[in-house]
C-alpha cells in the first residue's frame, strides 16, 4: 500500500474541514471525508447519493463547507458569539437537560 493511499484513507481532520473555503471541489475533499475513492465519489454524485448536496458549476462538481461540516457533525463558530468558542465534533459534545 502506498503512502498516498494510506493518507487518503485517514479521512479529513476537523481542523482541515474548518479551513475549507466556502465552496470546494467534490473530489478529493468529500471523498476523503467519506473515506471513498474518486470513482465512487463521482458515481455517488451522479446518482445524487452523496450525503451532501453537490452543485454543478460548468464541468465541476462543487460542495458547500456548511453542508460538509453539518454532515460530519462539526459546529463552526462564525464569530457572531452564537458559537461555543472552539468548534467540536458532535460526538464530543454533551447536551444539558433542563428541569421543569
Amino acid at each position: 500500500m502506498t503512502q498516498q493511499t494510506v493518507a487518503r484513507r485517514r479521512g479529513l481532520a476537523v481542523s482541515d474541514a474548518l479551513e475549507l473555503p466556502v465552496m470546494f471541489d467534490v473530489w478529493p475533499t468529500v471523498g476523503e471525508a467519506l473515506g471513498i475513492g474518486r470513482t465512487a465519489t463521482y458515481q455517488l454524485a451522479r446518482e445524487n447519493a452523496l450525503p451532501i448536496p453537490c452543485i454543478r458549476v460548468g464541468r465541476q462538481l462543487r460542495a458547500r463547507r456548511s453542508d460538509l461540516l453539518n454532515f460530519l457533525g462539526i459546529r463552526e463558530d462564525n464569530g457572531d458569539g452564537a458559537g461555543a468558542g472552539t468548534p467540536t465534533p458532535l460526538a464530543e459534545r454533551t447536551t444539558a437537560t433542563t428541569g421543569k
Side-chain angles (χ1 to χ4, degrees), residues 3-93:
Q3 187 173 11
Q4 182 181 9
T5 303
V6 171
R8 183 176 57 209
R9 290 187 181 168
R10 287 187 186 143
L12 187 67
V14 172
S15 59
D16 292 338
L18 291 169
E19 292 176 1
L20 288 170
V22 174
M23 293 206 63
F24 51 86
D25 292 331
V26 167
W27 176 257
T29 309
V30 174
E32 286 178 352
L34 300 176
I36 58 177
R38 187 180 93 156
T39 303
T41 301
Y42 283 123
Q43 180 68 31
L44 291 171
R46 218 177 0 264
E47 297 169 356
N48 287 328
L50 280 174
I52 63 171
C54 297
I55 301 161
R56 183 165 293 283
V57 179
R59 295 183 66 193
Q60 295 180 338
L61 278 176
R62 311 279 288 174
R64 289 185 294 242
R65 178 182 61 211
S66 59
D67 291 332
L68 181 62
L69 293 178
N70 186 45
F71 172 74
L72 295 174
I74 301 170
R75 183 177 46 179
E76 103 181 280
D77 183 11
N78 56 11
D80 64 0
T86 305
T88 57
L90 274 175
E92 295 178 13
R93 286 187 242 146

